[in-house]
Amino acid sequence: MGMFYFELRSLWECLKIDTLLRFTKLIRRPDMKRFIALLSLCLAPALAQSVAAANGDWAQWRGPLRSGVSSETGLLKQWPAEGPALVWKATGIGGGYSSVAVAEGRIYTLGEDKDASYLRAMNAQDGKILWSVKIGKAGVTGWGGFSGPRSTPTIDGDNIYCLGHFGDLVCVSADGKVVWQKNLVTDFGGALPEWGFAESPLVDGGKVLCTPGGDQGSVIALDKKTGETLWRTKEITDKAHYASIILETIDGVRQYIQLTDATLMGLAGDGKVLWRAKREGKTAVIPTPVYFDHHVFVTSGYEAGCNLFKITKTDAGFSAEQVYASKDFMNHHGGVVQVGEYVYGHSDRKGWMCQEIKTGKIMWSEKEKLRKGSICAADGFLYLRAEDEKGTVALVEASPAGFVEKGRFDQPDRSNKNSWPHPVIANGRLYLRDQDLLLCYELKK
């Protein structure tokens, strides 16, 4: 997928410059004008993601491609004994489990104070808070006493889109002004999940997508400028869980892939269901799906395990066929990443794992060296963050050969909560959120 974007970017550059000038007469033809306009419309969203990846930004949940993998290179291959250098630490962002989005010198995250939940903008150079804007109420959702927002903001040009744990979907301008605001429960008839809404909104072209769930349709697309409803998937009425939508192109067709506790689905740009597959989740379905070469890999905890589905296009449309189902890879909420032909992440049964994505073959598992946690990847390495009291962060080779560690450190200034926010790599730096604290580390050589 990443290479596809970069190839499109190269094509776009060719079309923009000398090639177009040399064929001025051809371009002036009405049919060619329509073709170029259509091409620009189709390529623009992909190019935006491509440019963000090339710049090193991490402007949404799990990075430019929502894969948990950064395209950055030149990062440290071995950490010193004390870990990478701490650049700065910041406080005052509030409680919660939201990770961070980073773009154009700014950091955005969600946090709650006693009175409300807020979107906060920070300076990426020093962590200073630039502004705060209220997006919804504060409080606990579900049993366990977990309070605060869970989702990660999405940066799109001059606007930021965020979803509070009580269903407040808000568009905020870069200067901290609310552009529009909706609520997934009161405006769209969604049902509050047990532990609140945790999905991170997806912005694609002129649309912002999320999953209110319920009888009126699981997935909804809104006009990103106004918040008005564009379409809703009425054919699927599963309740909302906690996974986030991904955008992929399969056999030339752009589509949105989402996972609930009952269905894995692929949706067209107009909300039409392209394909669906039954997949039973239990209690809480959280990890984001992973797409690889006409296959979608999904996993969740509570004994649900993992499944791989092959997506095929025929004359009759798309279909989804299960390739395998296994209880070995059972990821609770730390996420999985795909590097090459393998997926990596933590399994409730086997600890940290590497699994061949197309066959389900376990290449290695490691249960003793690091506790359960979250993951991201960059430059041939895995960045693992344990959720326990020490919040240990480890650098491990992304290799099917085995669990080869290249450094670790224990997070300083730990809160008394689980360190659930996923690690983020942006512009050569590692960001770790822990409730009211945000830490920034230097990863360049």
Side-chain angles (χ1 to χ4, degrees), residues 124-293:
Q125 290 303 312
D126 54 18
K128 291 183 178 179
I129 295 175
L130 302 174
W131 51 255
S132 298
V133 60
K134 180 180 176 179
I135 65 158
K137 64 180 181 179
V140 173
T141 54
W143 59 266
F146 306 117
S147 183
R150 293 93 157 94
S151 72
T152 298
T154 299
I155 307 167
D156 179 68
D158 293 330
N159 289 330
I160 305 95
Y161 300 83
C162 55
L163 179 63
H165 54 307
F166 287 101
D168 296 292
L169 179 64
V170 188
C171 172
V172 180
S173 64
D175 59 356
K177 308 295 183 183
V178 173
V179 179
W180 56 260
Q181 184 165 5
K182 302 287 184 178
N183 185 278
L184 300 190
V185 178
T186 59
D187 291 318
F188 305 120
L192 186 71
E194 174 68 25
W195 289 280
F197 288 97
E199 176 184 17
S200 299
L202 171 70
V203 177
D204 177 41
K207 302 185 288 288
V208 55
L209 291 87
C210 59
T211 313
D215 295 341
Q216 298 178 43
S218 293
V219 177
I220 194 169
L222 308 178
D223 185 301
K224 73 176 185 181
K225 293 183 179 180
T226 66
E228 295 303 311
T229 301
L230 298 176
W231 52 255
R232 194 159 179 180
T233 55
K234 296 181 179 180
E235 304 100 309
I236 299 177
T237 56
D238 300 347
K239 60 184 178 181
H241 264 242
Y242 310 93
S244 294
I245 302 167
I246 61 173
L247 169 65
E248 299 293 343
T249 299
I250 306 176
D251 288 327
V253 179
R254 287 166 60 80
Q255 46 195 276
Y256 309 112
I257 299 173
Q258 176 60 306
L259 176 67
T260 69
D261 67 334
T263 309
L264 175 66
M265 68 189 83
L267 309 176
D270 59 1
K272 177 183 177 182
V273 177
L274 296 172
W275 54 266
R276 69 171 83 181
K278 291 183 179 180
R279 194 269 179 180
E280 183 182 359
K282 300 177 181 179
T283 308
V285 176
I286 304 171
T288 301
V290 172
Y291 174 79
F292 174 67
D293 188 25

Side-chain angles (χ1 to χ4, degrees), residues 407-420:
R408 67 167 55 198
F409 66 95
D410 293 338
Q411 182 209 309
D413 302 319
R414 278 283 288 127
S415 73
N416 60 358
K417 308 290 186 182
N418 286 327
S419 50
W420 284 337

Side-chain angles (χ1 to χ4, degrees), residues 49 53 57-71 99-102 151-154 198 200-201 242-246 248 286-291 297-299 331 333-339 343-345 373-377 383 421-426:
Q49 289 181 316
D57 285 340
W58 190 280
Q60 63 176 332
W61 168 243
R62 285 171 55 88
L65 304 180
R66 294 204 154 198
S67 62
V69 181
S70 168
S71 62
S99 188
V100 299
V102 185
S151 72
T152 298
T154 299
S200 299
Y242 310 93
S244 294
I245 302 167
I246 61 173
E248 299 293 343
I286 304 171
T288 301
V290 172
Y291 174 79
F297 176 87
V298 294
T299 177
N331 185 261
H333 52 64
V336 297
V337 297
Q338 172 249 319
V339 181
V343 285
Y344 300 85
S374 54
I375 186 172
C376 70
Y383 292 74
H422 290 207
V424 164
I425 296 171

Side-chain angles (χ1 to χ4, degrees), residues 382-398:
L382 309 173
Y383 292 74
L384 313 181
R385 184 187 193 189
E387 70 173 29
D388 61 11
E389 63 230 13
K390 292 184 178 181
T392 303
V393 181
L395 181 69
V396 175
E397 291 183 358

